[in-house]
Amino acid sequence: MVQDQALAKRDPNALTMEEIKNYVAPLATREEAYIFLRFCQAQGLNPFLNDAYLLKYDAKARAAIVIGIQALLKRAARNPQYQGYLSGVLVSNQGEVARRFGSFLYPGDQLMGGWATVRRMDWPVPLEITVALGEYNKRQAQWQEKPATMIEKVALAQGLRRAFPEEMESLFMAAGDVEIEVGEP
């Protein structure tokens, strides 16, 4: 009975270490799952809404906490100075460098990087960010399958972090032996 009452009173959105180990990152150690759990609780992140990911592709490797781009966009949107963003990819096509909106590549495009523009009402000019593909491509599954989408997200994340450091700073502090990154897995 006491157990049933405790379950009934449990926050239905509360995450447990067992759920992390079973559904989020089966290869994670108990320590990594605990750090991820506490990090998500402290930051108000929900891994089931893609706010954060605990990635571990090999039992011997360190786990990585990856902050989803949606979590950054939600935090920016809470700031009354936020006016929106534009983002896309940088490509080379027949020797010409072009900025494309979004992550669509045309035939002949060679992906070079990503860009983002973030606007704040209290800044006279928007913040412009460009990032090079070679600096961020980790050759993991998503980077192999969707490099344009991934580099666009990196550029946008960089822009949001610089435009709203107060809202984003605690998302990128070191968490013990777990590496914290931004982007999608």
Side-chain angles (χ1 to χ4, degrees):
M1 178 82 168
V2 173
Q3 233 176 353
D4 291 339
Q5 288 175 344
L7 286 175
K9 291 181 180 177
R10 179 179 167 221
D11 176 0
N13 295 319
L15 192 59
T16 67
M17 281 184 22
E18 289 73 29
E19 289 169 326
I20 292 167
K21 296 265 308 143
N22 291 335
Y23 305 111
V24 177
L27 296 177
T29 65
R30 288 190 56 74
E31 179 183 59
E32 291 166 337
Y34 178 79
I35 291 169
F36 182 70
L37 171 69
R38 301 302 283 175
F39 181 78
C40 287
Q41 288 172 337
Q43 296 301 324
L45 299 171
N46 185 336
F48 294 107
L49 295 178
N50 300 325
D51 288 343
Y53 307 86
L54 181 61
L55 303 181
K56 187 161 184 173
Y57 299 110
D58 177 339
K60 295 177 184 172
R62 284 182 11 183
I65 296 174
V66 177
I67 309 303
I69 194 67
Q70 290 303 92
L72 302 182
L73 287 167
K74 286 188 241 181
R75 291 203 177 192
R78 287 186 213 140
N79 186 305
Q81 300 302 322
Y82 179 64
Q83 278 193 304
Y85 73 92
L86 298 171
S87 64
V89 293
L90 297 167
V91 299
S92 175
N93 193 327
Q94 298 181 354
E96 302 264 337
V97 175
R99 277 175 92 153
R100 304 254 195 264
F101 287 93
S103 57
F104 184 81
L105 299 176
Y106 299 140
D109 281 351
Q110 178 184 355
L111 183 60
M112 297 174 58
W115 64 271
T117 301
V118 179
R119 289 185 168 82
R120 286 183 60 128
M121 289 193 319
D122 57 342
W123 288 2
V125 296
L127 175 68
E128 300 278 340
I129 297 291
T130 58
V131 295
L133 178 66
E135 291 183 30
Y136 293 93
N137 186 350
K138 296 183 179 193
R139 312 237 185 277
Q140 293 169 336
Q142 293 284 20
W143 284 92
Q144 296 292 351
E145 296 170 21
K146 305 173 188 177
T149 297
M150 298 302 288
I151 198 65
E152 179 189 8
K153 287 179 188 180
V154 168
L156 178 54
Q158 290 286 344
L160 292 169
R161 285 176 69 182
R162 291 183 189 170
F164 301 99
E166 302 85 20
E167 289 81 358
M168 310 294 174
E169 70 183 339
S170 61
L171 291 176
F172 299 97
M173 295 157 76
D177 290 330
V178 179
E179 180 181 341
I180 299 179
E181 303 174 7
V182 67
E184 306 294 314

